[in-house]
Amino acid sequence: MNSIESINTNQYVLFKLDDESYGIEIEYVKTIEKITNITRVPNTKPYVKGVINLRGEVIPVIDLRERFGLPIRAYDNDTRVIIVSIKDFVIGLVVDSSSEVIHLNDNEVDNPPTIGETNTVEFVKGIGKKDGNLIMLLNLKKIL
Amino acid sequence: MDISQYLDIFIDESKEHLHNLNGSLLSLEKNPDDKELINEIFRVAHTLKGMSGTMGFTKIANLTHEMENLLDAIRNDRLAINTDIIDLLFKCFDTLEEYINIIAVEGEEGEQDNKELIIKLNSVLNNNEGCKSETSIKKEKADRVNNLSEYAINIVKKAQEKGLSAYTIDVTLKEDCMLKAARAFIVFNTLERYGEIIYSKPSVEDIEDEKFDLSFSITILSKIDENIILDELNKITDVEIIKIKKLDNMNSINNDKTLEGTNNIQNKDQIKTEKKSKKKNNKVGKTVRVDIDRLDNLMNLVSELIIIKTRMEEVGGRTENHNMNEAIEYLERITTSIHDAVMKVRMVPIDRVFNRFPRMVRDLSKELGKDIKLIMSGEETEVDRTVIDEIGDPLIHLIRNSIDHGIESPEERLEIGKKEFGSLYLRAYPDGNNVVIEVEDDGRGIDLEKVKRKAVDKKIITEEIAYNMSKEEIISLLFRAGFSTAEKISDISGRGVGLDVVKNKIESIGGNIEVETEKGKGTKFIIRIPLTLAIIQALLIKLKDEIYALPLSSIKEITTIKSQTIRKVQNHEVVLFRNKTLPIIRLDEVLGIEKFDEIDEREELITVIAKKGDKEAGLIVDKLIGQQEIVIKSLGKYLSGTRYIAGATILGDGSISLILDINSLF
């Protein structure tokens, strides 16, 4: 750290739902996988799509679109499952696509909007700004 | 010195020693005169002192040191053992256990003070031997030296009659020798090959603890020529001088003996103990402590192997290649053996759980003023490590129940013509793929009328239902949530969390619990748990395009029933099967599977008859796939507790199939 005022930098994994960009802190992300066979688990919440076999591990998968109340969209070649691990929970999040990891300094992150317009707001803990784009930084604990 | 790397070993070993200590204390209470037990307790305290001293845990070291003093006085007959002393020793044991537990969590001894205990230990020691002066003790010691000399002389005499010679060997180690105790140990080992060591100076214990300067002397009986022994000893590195002296006649022994100091007093005992502890050590030497995580990892890998084996069997079934099929068969045999081997590694004797009960029963019966004899059997029965961790709490609960509610007070027992002391049996035995644990008491039994009344009072059932209830049905009330028959809430049981918790716990590990009770005669709880939780035999079934696994252990038979024979009784579908009404469960409805478009008009329905205790139900399925060995995997914390689902398994093609929890279906 050369600068006198130390600025915290966090890395985020970026992904997209429709045209919106979202970010998850990289330390929660284990891997990003292509979508595979999902086995439905009965008697669970509708957004819980089921479980997948990730190299011998059984991992529950939730569809973020449904979790956020966005319209359902068929899975395609870009669809990814982001495997996140928070506390003892390991879980897969189905997203439309995911490609990059970005660095955000603390001063590039704003507080989330206080007035809720969409369902997503409660899951957002901050808004990142990078190259003129807005990135919604997700509060994973709220999602689970 | 960095001791943290030894911390785990220290904790493990301390726990083992404490476990032994607990056992010895309990037996000592029954046989206060058994010197061997006192010696055993002394040894444990001594070992703990040494270990904790090395690790820098001074509080443990101090306490065990004081314990040693007390025990030493007992074993030298300076102090008579009584219940106060035993209670005090139990308290010491509790404190030590607490310290070890704190260390296990925090890595430090913690703040807890043991001064009071030490003062008590000292006061017991002083009160009882205050009258004996220093000199009298010394005299006593001197007496024993003479005794020992005679003992040694006798041995040597007998040995010489048999043509053995006695040698006294003085060994001096080099000044720069690094591991004196280790060298001495090698010397001892070498000599043991040639004869019997009858005593040493300093004592073996002191030598092991490096409590000697550079030289020590050993007396040995042997038929080998002294020069051979000399040669052999010279081969040991770091040995500077060796002097061998043959003891030819009794006089010289006598002389020698008088020259020996008081250090040889417990020669005979010591050598005896030494041999014993060596035997134990040998046993320990052949085992390896393994982190349970590593075992789990190994288990997972074996599971993967079994999955891939199943997959290959599928492929093999389709090819005509003879060699291929042979290879697969061989693979199957090997995987089965590996699986068995790994399972065995994970098996631990149920004694791990049982060993805490004697103490618990002792304390509880003292507290309640009841006289209770605990009779345990089958402690050596082995169960999977994961089961061990789960079974402890339910058993504690049942035992407490028996002691608190079941067994009557001594007066009451005498009055109704029973033996004064109540008996509590704790049995374990293997039964096929299960292990059965029984908790039985000869107390007053469960008052079924009282249970019924209570259930009506608590509005769990109506008066009407209660009137028509069978014995089994009443007993099943006991396991309902929030049901407790204790009249008054005591410290021991009756907090409202009752048998339902026990039942849930046992069912969560795939077991079941039954009760047999007779008023006035006693109660018996029978717990049946699977030997292992990881791999089970299952029946795979298909519902539309989803595959589910049903544990074979809860399947009674498979049959077909005609759809028109199904009747509706109070909105529940039942069928008359072998003259019994069998409730029908349509799995596709329970599991929310959409039906085929056309109305289900199949004449014959494939029905899996599942059992749960005495109850049975017919599960309607679309298709049977077959029986298979499956590896149980958890659904993960996020989905744990999902209704009707007990877990998941990975099929040969890599897809996941869910395991149905039959217990929750009906």
Side-chain angles (χ1 to χ4, degrees):
Chain A
M1 297 209 193
N2 294 328
S3 61
I4 300 158
E5 49 167 332
S6 71
I7 297 169
N8 272 327
T9 307
N10 287 318
Q11 288 189 65
Y12 293 88
V13 172
L14 280 199
F15 63 87
K16 283 199 163 184
L17 296 177
D18 288 339
D19 291 329
E20 301 262 29
S21 293
Y22 298 82
I24 300 173
E25 279 124 312
I26 201 162
E27 59 259 37
Y28 295 129
V29 177
K30 283 177 79 180
T31 56
I32 299 171
E33 305 286 328
K34 285 200 169 183
I35 194 104
T36 54
N37 261 340
I38 299 183
T39 303
R40 187 186 71 96
V41 180
N43 303 308
T44 50
K45 300 202 177 73
Y47 56 79
V48 175
K49 293 281 92 176
V51 284
I52 56 164
N53 169 15
L54 182 70
R55 292 176 280 280
E57 243 185 289
V58 177
I59 293 174
V61 170
I62 66 180
D63 189 317
L64 269 195
R65 295 184 71 94
E66 288 187 53
R67 184 75 181 100
F68 292 163
L70 300 171
I72 297 166
R73 177 171 171 269
Y75 298 154
D76 56 28
N77 259 341
D78 286 336
T79 307
R80 290 289 179 277
V81 184
I82 303 180
I83 311 291
V84 295
S85 150
I86 177 165
K87 286 185 186 159
D88 295 342
F89 295 99
V90 178
I91 219 161
L93 307 171
V94 181
V95 300
D96 288 357
S97 68
S98 175
S99 48
E100 53 178 332
V101 174
I102 54 154
H103 295 257
L104 282 179
N105 295 329
D106 275 355
N107 56 8
E108 289 173 298
V109 176
D110 284 345
N111 287 331
T114 42
I115 318 149
E117 286 173 29
T118 62
N119 288 328
T120 53
V121 169
E122 58 172 312
F123 305 121
V124 175
K125 66 174 174 190
I127 305 282
K129 294 166 292 180
K130 193 91 179 176
D131 308 330
N133 291 324
L134 292 182
I135 300 146
M136 287 192 252
L137 307 176
L138 294 179
N139 184 348
L140 275 181
K141 279 176 208 160
K142 280 269 168 62
I143 293 171
L144 301 188
Chain B
M1 184 175 75
D2 180 25
I3 53 154
S4 55
Q5 52 176 321
Y6 301 114
L7 199 61
D8 286 344
I9 302 174
F10 170 77
I11 292 164
D12 276 352
E13 289 191 351
S14 304
K15 280 191 176 157
E16 213 164 84
H17 286 305
L18 284 175
H19 170 204
N20 291 339
L21 184 60
N22 187 27
S24 309
L25 278 172
L26 286 163
S27 340
L28 183 70
E29 196 172 30
K30 283 177 201 130
N31 315 303
D33 296 327
D34 193 338
K35 276 278 137 61
E36 192 46 49
L37 284 171
I38 293 280
N39 279 333
E40 175 66 36
I41 297 168
F42 183 88
R43 267 197 301 277
V44 173
H46 184 79
T47 319
L48 278 175
K49 182 173 98 174
M51 282 165 44
S52 53
T54 326
M55 298 291 291
F57 297 128
T58 47
K59 280 177 186 160
I60 297 180
N62 284 341
L63 182 59
T64 42
H65 179 75
E66 300 299 329
M67 283 172 74
E68 254 183 53
N69 285 345
L70 183 74
L71 290 161
D72 195 42
I74 298 172
R75 75 172 180 186
N76 292 337
D77 292 324
R78 274 182 286 139
L79 194 60
I81 202 147
N82 57 33
T83 45
D84 284 345
I85 290 180
I86 290 176
D87 279 348
L88 190 60
L89 287 174
F90 267 120
K91 252 182 220 141
C92 293
F93 164 79
D94 288 343
T95 315
L96 287 174
E97 199 174 34
E98 232 164 85
Y99 279 136
I100 301 290
N101 285 339
I102 293 173
I103 290 171
V105 179
E106 293 169 13
E108 286 170 22
E109 274 180 304
E111 296 299 314
Q112 210 204 345
D113 201 40
N114 57 22
K115 274 209 184 86
E116 231 173 89
L117 213 50
I118 289 178
I119 290 168
K120 259 191 205 158
L121 282 167
N122 275 326
S123 73
V124 171
L125 197 58
N126 293 331
N127 283 344
N128 282 269
E129 61 170 20
C131 48
K132 284 191 186 176
S133 67
E134 275 287 295
T135 46
S136 73
I137 294 168
K138 264 187 194 154
K139 202 181 143 210
E140 218 173 274
K141 281 188 175 172
D143 280 349
R144 254 178 290 134
V145 175
N146 283 339
N147 286 345
L148 192 97
S149 305
E150 270 163 38
Y151 164 76
I153 292 164
N154 276 336
I155 285 193
V156 174
K157 246 188 210 164
K158 272 188 194 146
Q160 281 173 341
E161 279 164 22
K162 283 183 199 155
L164 297 170
S165 328
Y167 304 102
T168 297
I169 303 161
D170 291 316
V171 181
T172 309
L173 298 174
K174 280 188 185 146
E175 235 169 83
D176 56 352
C177 170
M178 293 295 286
L179 296 159
K180 290 193 291 176
R183 291 299 163 215
F185 180 71
I186 296 174
V187 172
F188 270 81
N189 255 0
T190 314
L191 288 175
E192 269 177 357
R193 285 210 302 270
Y194 294 101
E196 192 189 347
I197 296 171
I198 56 172
Y199 83 96
S200 72
K201 174 198 170 180
S203 71
V204 182
E205 263 175 40
D206 284 345
I207 290 178
E208 270 183 4
D209 291 347
E210 279 200 17
K211 283 184 193 155
F212 65 103
D213 208 15
L214 282 174
S215 55
F216 52 90
S217 93
I218 301 166
T219 301
I220 174 177
L221 296 176
S222 170
K223 38 183 168 188
I224 308 288
D225 190 74
E226 54 195 292
N227 288 327
I228 297 174
I229 296 175
L230 191 66
D231 280 354
E232 232 11 79
L233 289 179
N234 271 328
K235 285 182 195 159
I236 302 168
T237 43
D238 280 343
V239 172
E240 182 88 64
I241 313 161
I242 301 162
K243 278 190 216 149
I244 297 196
K245 198 164 64 180
K246 194 170 179 179
L247 303 175
D248 286 325
N249 55 57
M250 288 310 102
N251 286 338
S252 71
I253 293 170
N254 258 336
N255 288 341
D256 272 352
K257 290 300 172 214
T258 39
L259 286 174
E260 307 296 343
T262 45
N263 267 331
N264 307 317
I265 301 169
Q266 284 134 1
N267 223 321
K268 178 188 164 189
D269 275 352
Q270 218 117 59
I271 286 168
K272 233 165 110 193
T273 6
E274 177 69 3
K275 274 192 181 152
K276 266 198 184 159
S277 59
K278 262 203 189 127
K279 257 186 210 154
K280 274 188 195 159
N281 283 345
N282 282 343
K283 214 174 165 192
V284 171
K286 278 181 193 158
T287 62
V288 178
R289 282 176 205 281
V290 181
D291 192 335
I292 191 78
D293 286 345
R294 292 192 191 176
L295 272 187
D296 283 345
N297 191 19
L298 186 60
M299 189 71 207
N300 273 342
L301 290 173
V302 173
S303 308
E304 291 298 300
L305 198 58
I306 289 176
I307 290 167
I308 201 81
K309 178 207 81 185
T310 317
R311 194 161 155 188
M312 287 186 70
E313 274 170 355
E314 270 168 35
V315 178
R318 275 183 243 133
T319 66
E320 292 292 306
N321 191 330
H322 184 65
N323 275 341
M324 173 79 173
N325 285 338
E326 220 168 55
I328 291 172
E329 255 171 49
Y330 188 53
L331 179 68
E332 180 177 355
R333 274 207 299 279
I334 291 177
T335 44
T336 313
S337 304
I338 296 179
H339 175 214
D340 284 350
V342 175
M343 285 322 297
K344 277 208 188 93
V345 173
R346 293 173 53 93
M347 298 294 247
V348 282
I350 204 153
D351 185 43
R352 286 260 192 111
V353 185
F354 278 17
N355 66 45
R356 61 177 115 155
F357 295 139
R359 176 69 197 282
M360 195 181 100
V361 172
R362 169 193 181 270
D363 287 357
L364 280 180
S365 42
K366 272 202 162 180
E367 194 181 309
L368 294 168
K370 290 180 180 178
D371 197 354
I372 291 163
K373 217 164 143 186
L374 176 69
I375 301 129
M376 299 200 294
S377 63
E379 297 102 313
E380 70 290 340
T381 311
E382 290 192 322
V383 283
D384 192 86
R385 171 63 206 251
T386 36
V387 177
I388 288 275
D389 293 340
E390 300 295 326
I391 197 70
D393 287 345
L395 283 180
I396 289 178
H397 201 101
L398 292 179
I399 291 174
R400 289 184 157 214
N401 252 336
S402 279
I403 296 175
D404 199 22
H405 308 316
I407 294 174
E408 311 90 337
S409 64
E411 304 80 47
E412 204 180 329
R413 291 183 67 93
L414 283 176
E415 216 167 277
I416 50 176
K418 282 187 182 177
K419 279 186 197 139
E420 189 176 353
F421 60 86
S423 302
L424 183 62
Y425 296 91
L426 190 58
R427 304 187 194 95
Y429 55 90
D431 178 27
N433 265 335
N434 290 309
V435 170
V436 181
I437 303 172
E438 296 177 352
V439 181
E440 184 181 2
D441 65 60
D442 65 347
R444 53 173 77 100
I446 297 169
D447 188 339
L448 295 179
E449 279 306 310
K450 208 162 121 190
V451 171
K452 249 194 326 198
R453 246 182 295 131
K454 197 100 180 178
V456 175
D457 285 351
K458 292 202 167 182
K459 302 216 163 45
I460 295 173
I461 50 168
T462 63
E463 199 84 46
E464 202 178 318
I465 295 172
Y467 186 75
N468 288 317
M469 273 180 127
S470 69
K471 193 178 168 183
E472 285 72 34
E473 282 168 324
I474 301 171
I475 287 175
S476 73
L477 284 175
L478 290 168
F479 295 105
R480 292 278 191 91
F483 190 90
S484 173
T485 52
E487 302 269 272
K488 56 178 183 220
I489 289 174
S490 71
D491 218 14
I492 291 129
S493 52
R495 285 183 188 282
V497 284
L499 288 170
D500 58 314
V501 179
V502 172
K503 188 183 158 95
N504 283 344
K505 189 87 189 175
I506 287 168
E507 279 177 359
S508 77
I509 53 173
N512 62 53
I513 180 166
E514 290 166 40
V515 193
E516 287 172 12
T517 184
E518 199 170 328
K519 209 178 163 188
K521 291 251 175 76
T523 310
K524 179 152 113 180
F525 287 91
I526 304 151
I527 299 171
R528 213 171 271 274
I529 40 172
L531 266 183
T532 161
L533 304 177
I535 297 177
I536 58 164
Q537 287 288 337
L539 175 74
L540 296 185
I541 55 120
K542 215 166 183 181
L543 294 166
K544 209 171 170 192
D545 50 3
E546 296 182 3
I547 296 173
Y548 288 88
L550 305 174
L552 215 56
S553 56
S554 43
I555 292 175
K556 201 182 158 222
E557 60 176 298
I558 297 164
T559 184
T560 51
I561 53 170
K562 292 211 159 53
S563 53
Q564 67 261 30
T565 58
I566 297 177
R567 300 275 171 273
K568 277 216 165 182
V569 177
Q570 287 173 338
N571 252 343
H572 291 292
E573 286 186 308
V574 295
V575 72
L576 199 64
F577 180 73
R578 300 212 176 120
N579 289 326
K580 270 167 77 183
T581 47
L582 185 73
I584 293 295
I585 297 170
R586 291 183 187 265
L587 281 184
D588 48 3
E589 282 171 20
V590 171
L591 298 171
I593 294 164
E594 286 163 39
K595 285 242 168 80
F596 292 98
D597 287 339
E598 71 268 29
I599 308 153
D600 200 351
E601 274 179 355
R602 282 173 297 169
E603 285 252 309
E604 305 235 298
L605 298 172
I606 303 168
T607 311
V608 177
I609 300 186
K611 58 175 195 273
K612 172 191 172 187
D614 296 336
K615 283 198 269 179
E616 282 174 15
L619 315 177
I620 308 280
V621 304
D622 286 351
K623 215 173 143 193
L624 297 170
I625 295 176
Q627 181 185 334
Q628 202 178 87
E629 204 167 52
I630 60 163
V631 180
I632 301 179
K633 302 214 168 203
S634 144
L635 273 185
K637 219 173 156 190
Y638 185 67
L639 291 179
S640 70
T642 302
R643 269 182 94 189
Y644 309 132
I645 306 296
T649 189
I650 296 170
L651 300 178
D653 62 359
S655 66
I656 294 178
S657 154
L658 299 175
I659 303 166
L660 284 185
D661 180 9
I662 290 192
N663 280 332
S664 67
L665 281 173
F666 57 100

